Amino acid sequence: MCSVFDTELWGILDGLTLLQDRDFNRILIQTDSLEIVHANSNSGLVRRIQQRLRNIEHWVVRHILREANLVVDQIVKMVSIDLDGVN
């Protein structure tokens, strides 16, 4: 069990890991959580993300309204439907 904040951070860390494995050096991180955008280094997850970002040539973390992020919203809905079907 973990908080929504930690879940968002794990998603960012996992995404960064995948992108670095594929040698991407320009990354845009979009989140609907202002808490994530303004996160400090008190969290071990935040520190791990910051370490990964140091190895990336150009990166940006941007806040985006949930309603404006239609692609991610549709992906979440598809995953929710798939999970409902598994149970």
Side-chain angles (χ1 to χ4, degrees):
M1 301 289 292
C2 63
S3 68
V4 171
F5 178 75
D6 285 341
T7 303
E8 292 256 354
L9 290 175
W10 276 114
I12 291 169
L13 183 60
D14 289 346
L16 286 173
T17 301
L18 290 170
L19 292 170
Q20 282 184 310
D21 289 348
R22 289 167 177 80
D23 294 325
F24 284 87
N25 61 6
R26 298 177 62 82
I27 296 174
L28 169 62
I29 300 169
Q30 293 182 328
T31 178
D32 62 358
S33 170
L34 280 173
E35 187 179 13
I36 296 294
V37 173
H38 299 294
N40 60 35
S41 61
N42 291 337
S43 163
L45 284 171
V46 171
R47 286 191 301 274
R48 289 176 65 187
I49 289 168
Q50 290 170 337
Q51 286 174 327
R52 291 235 176 241
L53 290 174
R54 279 188 218 115
N55 298 321
I56 296 172
E57 182 180 317
H58 179 77
W59 56 271
V60 176
V61 177
R62 183 178 298 154
H63 178 258
I64 184 168
L65 294 175
R66 180 179 297 171
E67 297 80 20
N69 197 351
L70 298 176
V71 173
V72 171
D73 198 38
Q74 290 299 316
I75 291 170
V76 169
K77 287 178 184 175
M78 289 185 328
V79 170
S80 295
I81 290 168
D82 287 345
L83 289 177
D84 288 342
V86 171
N87 293 334

